[in-house]
Amino acid sequence: MSSRLLPAFGPEMLSPLSFLDRAAVVYGDRTAVVDGSFTLTYEGLNRRCRQLAGALHDTGLKPGDRVSVLSPNTHALLETHFGVPAAGGVLNALNTRLSLDELAYIIGHAESRVLVCDRDLLPTGMAVAERVPHDVLLIESGHAESDYERRIAAASAYHSPLDDEWSLLSLNYTSGTTGRPKGVMYAHRGAYLQAFAMVAQSGLDSKTVFLWTLPMFHCNGWCFPWAVTAVGGTHLALRTVRPDAIWAAIRDHGVTHFNAAPTVLTMLASHPDAAPAPRRVRIATGGAPPSPTLLARLSDLNLDVTHLYGLTETYGPAVICDWRPEWDTLDDGEQARLKARQGVSNLAGLPLRVVDDQGRDVPADGETTGEVLLRGNNVMLGYYRDPDATREATVEGPGGAWFRTGDIGVLHSNHYLELRDRKKDVIISGGENIASIEVEQALDSHPDVVESAVVGAPDPLWGEILVAFVTLKPACTTSAEDLIAHVRSRLARFKAPKRIEFGELPKTSTGKVQKFVLRRRVQDPSRR
Amino acid sequence: MSSRLLPAFGPEMLSPLSFLDRAAVVYGDRTAVVDGSFTLTYEGLNRRCRQLAGALHDTGLKPGDRVSVLSPNTHALLETHFGVPAAGGVLNALNTRLSLDELAYIIGHAESRVLVCDRDLLPTGMAVAERVPHDVLLIESGHAESDYERRIAAASAYHSPLDDEWSLLSLNYTSGTTGRPKGVMYAHRGAYLQAFAMVAQSGLDSKTVFLWTLPMFHCNGWCFPWAVTAVGGTHLALRTVRPDAIWAAIRDHGVTHFNAAPTVLTMLASHPDAAPAPRRVRIATGGAPPSPTLLARLSDLNLDVTHLYGLTETYGPAVICDWRPEWDTLDDGEQARLKARQGVSNLAGLPLRVVDDQGRDVPADGETTGEVLLRGNNVMLGYYRDPDATREATVEGPGGAWFRTGDIGVLHSNHYLELRDRKKDVIISGGENIASIEVEQALDSHPDVVESAVVGAPDPLWGEILVAFVTLKPACTTSAEDLIAHVRSRLARFKAPKRIEFGELPKTSTGKVQKFVLRRRVQDPSRR
């Protein structure tokens, strides 16, 4: 091979920040953000983000320092997606539904120097900042006289130079399958390419009006803060995901795209405000396949659903059920069956693999199950300060290391993936991933509990709900309500079981709990 | 800055070859190519391209070796866009309209080891191979019993590993403004990102049926061989760009996209077969803005035109007249005026700049002219074996070196570019760039000629035609026909002047030819 060629006109780093740099020039006068009565053009959004970078720089933030943000989907949370990395910092957007303990753990693990906190979450933010062992600068956001606004107004524009596209852009903590959340490291390069893939595969363009139903704290909103900006579309902020507010936005603001958990779609379809959208709306959903009935109802409402699959570790959706025009003529049932599949790797990734226990690719026969492996520029750098966890998630394959998703699926003959099970024992309820082991540990910490097992039961609204099976110590009479309150005192509210059944747990001869028996019971109540 | 992070699951190189690797898996059974009665699925296209790589490898091709191709838009030319780099080689697609001298110069300069040559161009290919000072292996393509087909059939699959995304993918020679074509170096990374930008900005998806009117030898078909493959669309090959064939493809094959010079659009609009397309067709055109009358006519035919601008040095279109939805309600004349602008940098590039003689950005006032500068991952690595030319095309600016296009334009208040003139004295006729200096040198080489000046005159079909002003030696009576024949014996036929006027040339006091006077004459015949 000849010696390396040096580009005469580069190298130009891949960074999602460049999308705002460009939008500020080429879409400067277009509407970037609508957040209630607060609106910004792209020129204005860019100016504010650079001033936010300046304000953070003024606090003494050094390159690579972490900045946590605790906020619903406001313009401020959007701005931190540009302003924090522009300051040279690393963005850590926090799940607002977590408990104080969980939030304090994450901020402590990330050693964030700053916490931007929305007005509505200020008590939480203050309590968390107190619990963290190191000093955290709390900056309140969410209203015109806030500290956040005053700092921006007082700051000069700043833009830290980027000399390595592999450098850390953000940290997104997983729900954790071993009790503690892990910090997933996103690189500038990966987020740039994933955003590009989202533009291409969601059909974003300058006509896009994107409604922020998906929380930006989930995988940085699947990189849509950057993707929508890339095409000069409009971000519609939304503090609370309520079906009436979504229908109002569709009706009044010409929404073209949003991303939402199946739960939200179910609520939308059955809401009294439901009426066919004035423009076709493209919706991406993950977590669970929408039912044929729901799909038909949404189609009547001019809502077109695409099914996706991804993980925090893959910058959001790495897999998309890419719809083929040759399927348009199939009947509704067949179309729903195809739409229920997770699909194929997006443009930024290598074709996904499904492998057996020996790491061999399973045949694409729609029957043989195996673990789903992913690789590509939209796979994380690794887990933050946790090389062991990174190693455990790694398996060697063609081209190098592949990421083990822990999910079990089959490949159909056209190489479209369909998930069958989750190896890691995760329950998805209302779009949130919940590790059953974490809930079991919380239950087991109650003095009256011998042991417990948590499984997901199908639910028409939430996708799945948590059902716990608990064995109490002899003569103990703790109630289900007591145990639920106990879990809520330790974990985020959404992690508490909805139902508890008491009794012996079914076990193998070696004493391992047979979760499949419990799952069967909750799927088919007659087996109880 | 902290030390560099090494991605645990990468790095995965950016290369347009990965689009075919992916398409072979996720779109394996979809139609990739239709070339007359010859069709290929993506699985089949991938297999052939890998075997082509194997066949080239079998010839002893070493990494970095150049492979030239002389072919109209056939499946073979498409295959070389994947097979040559998969063999570790560098693709050099040749303009089939060039003269023997020009072709021999390019193959000699590139030192290509192999020349793949279509059956229809075989006499040219053989003559060229003889003129080149080094050994060239000629491989005929274009029919079922060709050497190309035999070699593919006999070869095993091969795929050279790629260890550097900045490495050389292809060499595309410019028309040359200083007499000799320059070899523009494309990198794997640049082509990958430009293809991604083309997907996003042309709205390519799995419904795409792309008609190959634009020659693939122009900037590797603006990277569409890779972009259409990325989305699993269908390539419709087309040997000869005739309006009846284009209308037949639109009618019978459901074409959704094609790219063509304005000349082709003019021919289409006035052809007897013209009838509204059954599906909306998105057309990208460059070189000259289509007239309001033409745009209105094309719109009636369900053909939607986007105006682009780019150079060989920028992987094709670096600038796109990105249509804004807020312009939809303007009247036709105003829309045509906006469509005539070249637009804004595409997603893979930095916002373009227009600078004055001192390198200062001109105001975005729609009036102040300056030279257009480009930068981004879709700007070439440099000119092959010509550091001086690379240096001349370079100017320092924000972030590093910027590429000087040589074109003069203004920025409108929304930062949309409108070209006003070409600094480099290039004439664009029928979609081909022609350097006037090259034609002047050919004219001047005639023994009866004292001096000459060539300018472009507006032409409704070709965009521009070449008009030469020639001063003959005293008492010489060489005719215009003689001189045109003389030019044709030295250059490609399309470079010969269409009209020659004899007489003294207008000059400045320092003896420089005043081309603007000649241009005025051909634009307004009353001034002759």
Side-chain angles (χ1 to χ4, degrees):
Chain A
M1 199 74 172
S2 55
S3 63
R4 185 170 177 183
L5 285 163
L6 288 177
F9 305 93
E12 190 62 32
M13 296 295 137
L14 302 183
S15 167
L17 301 192
S18 68
F19 293 134
L20 181 57
D21 294 341
R22 177 177 171 275
V25 176
V26 309
Y27 306 120
D29 55 338
R30 302 202 79 216
T31 302
V33 184
V34 177
D35 185 352
S37 60
F38 181 87
T39 65
L40 286 172
T41 62
Y42 270 104
E43 195 276 329
L45 176 63
N46 183 55
R47 197 178 51 242
R48 279 177 61 87
C49 292
R50 288 186 177 227
Q51 283 177 271
L52 170 59
L56 290 169
H57 188 64
D58 291 346
T59 70
L61 197 81
K62 284 185 288 298
D65 279 354
R66 276 74 60 207
V67 175
S68 294
V69 186
L70 187 65
S71 171
N73 280 345
T74 63
H75 67 86
L77 180 52
L78 180 69
E79 287 158 5
T80 58
H81 278 73
F82 296 95
V84 171
V90 175
L91 176 68
N92 168 234
L94 296 160
N95 187 330
T96 56
R97 297 162 191 161
L98 297 182
S99 70
L100 289 184
D101 270 354
E102 294 164 321
L103 291 169
Y105 171 78
I106 291 171
I107 296 173
H109 186 266
E111 290 189 59
S112 302
R113 293 205 48 252
V114 178
L115 171 61
V116 176
C117 182
D118 183 74
R119 61 167 200 238
D120 289 349
L121 296 155
L122 201 57
T124 306
M126 289 169 70
V128 167
E130 263 176 35
R131 288 194 189 203
V132 174
H134 66 275
D135 279 346
V136 179
L137 172 66
L138 188 73
I139 300 178
E140 187 196 358
S141 67
H143 60 95
E145 276 76 44
S146 66
D147 190 17
Y148 178 86
E149 291 298 330
R150 276 191 291 104
R151 285 174 185 266
I152 285 182
S156 306
Y158 181 74
H159 202 323
S160 170
L162 181 70
D163 56 9
D164 180 2
E165 65 195 30
W166 291 100
S167 64
L168 196 53
L169 169 74
S170 62
L171 276 184
N172 291 293
Y173 280 77
T174 63
S175 48
T177 53
T178 50
R180 279 307 193 182
K182 294 195 285 283
V184 174
M185 297 191 287
Y186 284 16
H188 282 259
R189 172 179 166 113
Y192 175 95
L193 292 166
Q194 174 76 354
F196 231 139
M198 294 300 99
V199 167
Q201 304 219 0
S202 294
L204 304 180
D205 61 21
S206 59
K207 291 188 285 296
T208 295
V209 177
F210 183 81
L211 180 66
W212 272 106
T213 41
L214 172 77
M216 286 184 224
F217 58 69
H218 273 320
C219 319
N220 293 130
W222 302 355
C223 297
F224 276 71
W226 303 304
V228 172
T229 298
V231 298
T234 299
H235 298 269
L236 282 186
L238 194 66
R239 271 195 173 259
T240 328
V241 180
R242 289 192 328 261
D244 58 337
I246 298 175
W247 277 118
I250 291 173
R251 215 171 43 228
D252 304 336
H253 287 286
V255 169
T256 59
H257 294 76
F258 66 89
N259 304 329
T263 311
V264 175
L265 302 185
T266 305
M267 293 193 296
L268 274 183
S270 60
H271 195 268
D273 290 355
R279 303 160 71 175
R280 190 103 180 133
V281 181
R282 288 179 72 162
I283 302 172
T285 192
S291 71
T293 318
L294 180 58
L295 284 173
R297 168 78 178 137
L298 294 172
S299 180
D300 290 344
L301 293 168
N302 211 12
L303 308 179
D304 183 28
V305 178
T306 298
H307 189 200
L308 303 167
Y309 161 67
L311 305 92
T312 305
E313 288 85 343
T314 61
Y315 296 74
V319 176
I320 177 172
C321 187
D322 201 3
W323 193 253
R324 298 182 171 195
E326 51 267 35
W327 296 341
D328 285 341
T329 51
L330 299 175
D331 67 46
D332 285 359
E334 184 67 10
Q335 289 200 10
R337 211 172 56 84
L338 291 166
K339 280 211 170 180
R341 295 180 183 169
Q342 276 72 17
V344 297
S345 288
N346 77 29
L347 276 174
L350 268 65
L352 63 89
R353 295 169 61 219
V354 177
V355 300
D356 65 17
D357 286 346
Q358 274 76 53
R360 296 170 303 208
D361 290 86
V362 303
D365 59 7
E367 282 186 15
T368 315
T369 57
E371 184 176 1
V372 182
L373 306 185
L374 297 171
R375 182 177 157 87
N377 280 290
N378 56 352
V379 172
M380 65 170 178
L381 289 166
Y383 294 115
Y384 188 59
R385 295 180 174 170
D386 199 345
D388 290 346
T390 304
R391 210 173 302 118
E392 273 168 39
T394 303
V395 62
E396 282 303 304
W402 286 68
F403 171 66
R404 303 180 59 164
T405 64
D407 290 322
I408 303 297
V410 300
L411 282 179
H412 290 281
S413 60
N414 60 4
H415 285 263
Y416 275 54
L417 170 72
E418 185 169 354
L419 290 187
R420 286 292 162 83
D421 202 358
R422 298 182 208 105
K423 204 171 179 178
K424 285 177 182 165
D425 211 3
V426 167
I427 298 154
I428 307 184
S429 183
E432 295 286 351
N433 286 5
I434 303 160
S436 57
I437 190 170
E438 194 184 11
V439 183
E440 289 156 7
Q441 286 170 348
L443 286 165
D444 295 353
S445 71
H446 189 281
D448 289 357
V449 171
V450 176
E451 61 180 357
S452 65
V454 174
V455 298
D459 182 86
L461 182 57
W462 300 102
E464 289 181 292
I465 55 167
L466 276 72
V467 179
F469 294 84
V470 174
T471 311
L472 293 179
K473 288 179 185 160
C476 286
T477 55
T478 302
S479 70
E481 290 67 38
D482 288 345
L483 285 180
I484 289 170
H486 177 76
V487 172
R488 281 190 178 165
S489 73
R490 307 186 149 238
L491 300 177
R493 288 178 67 87
F494 65 85
K495 295 181 183 173
K498 284 272 185 302
R499 205 167 77 214
I500 295 189
E501 298 188 14
F502 293 99
E504 289 294 307
L505 302 185
K507 290 188 182 164
T508 63
S509 59
T510 59
K512 235 180 136 188
V513 176
Q514 293 174 301
K515 280 217 171 169
F516 68 93
V517 175
L518 298 174
R519 283 197 199 99
R520 254 193 244 142
R521 264 196 231 167
V522 297
Q523 298 223 338
D524 179 2
S526 69
R527 298 198 192 216
R528 246 180 242 171
Chain B
M1 199 74 171
S2 56
S3 63
R4 186 170 176 183
L5 285 164
L6 288 177
F9 304 94
E12 190 63 33
M13 297 293 137
L14 302 183
S15 165
L17 301 192
S18 68
F19 293 134
L20 180 57
D21 294 340
R22 178 177 171 275
V25 176
V26 309
Y27 306 119
D29 55 338
R30 303 202 79 215
T31 303
V33 185
V34 177
D35 186 352
S37 60
F38 181 88
T39 65
L40 286 172
T41 62
Y42 271 104
E43 195 278 328
L45 176 63
N46 184 53
R47 197 178 52 242
R48 280 176 59 87
C49 291
R50 288 185 175 229
Q51 284 177 272
L52 170 58
L56 290 168
H57 189 63
D58 292 345
T59 70
L61 197 81
K62 284 184 290 298
D65 279 354
R66 276 73 59 205
V67 175
S68 295
V69 186
L70 187 67
S71 172
N73 280 346
T74 63
H75 66 85
L77 180 52
L78 179 71
E79 286 157 6
T80 58
H81 278 74
F82 297 95
V84 171
V90 175
L91 176 67
N92 168 235
L94 297 160
N95 187 331
T96 56
R97 296 162 192 161
L98 297 182
S99 70
L100 290 184
D101 270 354
E102 293 163 321
L103 291 169
Y105 171 79
I106 291 170
I107 296 173
H109 186 266
E111 290 188 61
S112 303
R113 292 206 47 252
V114 178
L115 172 61
V116 176
C117 181
D118 182 75
R119 61 167 200 240
D120 289 349
L121 296 156
L122 201 57
T124 306
M126 288 168 71
V128 166
E130 263 175 37
R131 286 193 191 202
V132 174
H134 66 275
D135 280 347
V136 178
L137 171 66
L138 188 73
I139 299 178
E140 186 197 359
S141 67
H143 61 95
E145 275 78 44
S146 65
D147 190 16
Y148 177 85
E149 291 298 332
R150 276 191 292 103
R151 285 173 185 266
I152 285 182
S156 306
Y158 182 73
H159 203 323
S160 171
L162 181 69
D163 56 9
D164 180 2
E165 65 195 31
W166 291 100
S167 64
L168 196 54
L169 170 73
S170 62
L171 276 183
N172 291 293
Y173 280 77
T174 63
S175 48
T177 53
T178 49
R180 279 306 192 184
K182 294 195 285 285
V184 173
M185 296 191 287
Y186 284 16
H188 282 259
R189 173 180 165 112
Y192 175 94
L193 292 167
Q194 173 77 353
F196 232 138
M198 295 300 99
V199 167
Q201 305 220 356
S202 295
L204 304 180
D205 61 21
S206 59
K207 291 188 285 296
T208 295
V209 178
F210 184 81
L211 180 66
W212 272 107
T213 42
L214 172 76
M216 286 185 225
F217 58 68
H218 273 321
C219 320
N220 294 130
W222 302 354
C223 297
F224 275 70
W226 303 305
V228 172
T229 298
V231 297
T234 299
H235 297 269
L236 283 185
L238 193 66
R239 270 195 173 262
T240 329
V241 180
R242 290 191 329 259
D244 58 336
I246 298 174
W247 278 118
I250 291 173
R251 215 171 41 229
D252 304 336
H253 287 286
V255 169
T256 59
H257 293 76
F258 66 90
N259 303 328
T263 312
V264 174
L265 301 185
T266 305
M267 292 193 297
L268 275 183
S270 60
H271 194 268
D273 289 356
R279 301 161 72 176
R280 189 101 180 136
V281 181
R282 287 178 72 162
I283 303 172
T285 192
S291 71
T293 318
L294 180 58
L295 283 173
R297 169 79 177 137
L298 293 171
S299 180
D300 290 344
L301 292 167
N302 212 12
L303 308 179
D304 183 29
V305 178
T306 298
H307 189 201
L308 303 167
Y309 160 68
L311 305 93
T312 305
E313 287 86 342
T314 62
Y315 296 75
V319 176
I320 178 173
C321 187
D322 200 2
W323 192 253
R324 298 181 171 196
E326 50 266 35
W327 296 342
D328 285 342
T329 51
L330 300 175
D331 67 45
D332 285 359
E334 184 67 8
Q335 289 200 13
R337 210 171 59 82
L338 290 166
K339 280 210 170 182
R341 296 179 183 170
Q342 276 72 18
V344 297
S345 288
N346 77 29
L347 276 173
L350 268 64
L352 62 89
R353 295 169 61 220
V354 178
V355 300
D356 65 18
D357 287 346
Q358 273 77 52
R360 294 171 303 208
D361 290 87
V362 303
D365 59 7
E367 282 186 13
T368 314
T369 57
E371 185 176 1
V372 181
L373 305 185
L374 298 171
R375 182 176 158 86
N377 280 291
N378 56 352
V379 172
M380 64 170 178
L381 290 166
Y383 294 115
Y384 188 59
R385 295 180 175 171
D386 199 345
D388 290 345
T390 303
R391 210 172 302 116
E392 275 167 39
T394 303
V395 62
E396 281 303 303
W402 286 68
F403 171 66
R404 301 180 58 164
T405 64
D407 290 323
I408 303 297
V410 300
L411 281 180
H412 289 281
S413 59
N414 59 5
H415 285 263
Y416 274 55
L417 170 72
E418 185 169 354
L419 289 187
R420 287 290 162 83
D421 202 359
R422 297 183 207 102
K423 205 171 177 177
K424 286 176 181 167
D425 210 3
V426 167
I427 298 155
I428 307 183
S429 183
E432 295 286 352
N433 285 5
I434 303 161
S436 56
I437 191 170
E438 193 185 13
V439 184
E440 289 157 6
Q441 286 170 346
L443 286 165
D444 295 352
S445 71
H446 189 281
D448 290 356
V449 171
V450 176
E451 61 181 357
S452 65
V454 173
V455 297
D459 182 86
L461 181 57
W462 300 102
E464 290 183 291
I465 54 167
L466 277 71
V467 178
F469 294 84
V470 173
T471 311
L472 292 178
K473 288 178 184 159
C476 286
T477 55
T478 302
S479 70
E481 290 67 36
D482 288 345
L483 284 181
I484 289 170
H486 176 76
V487 172
R488 281 189 179 167
S489 73
R490 307 187 148 236
L491 300 176
R493 288 179 67 87
F494 65 85
K495 295 181 183 173
K498 284 272 185 303
R499 204 167 77 214
I500 295 188
E501 298 188 16
F502 294 100
E504 289 294 310
L505 302 184
K507 290 189 181 163
T508 64
S509 58
T510 58
K512 237 180 131 187
V513 177
Q514 293 174 301
K515 281 217 172 170
F516 69 93
V517 175
L518 298 174
R519 282 198 199 98
R520 254 193 244 141
R521 264 195 230 167
V522 298
Q523 298 225 337
D524 178 1
S526 68
R527 298 201 190 212
R528 247 180 242 171

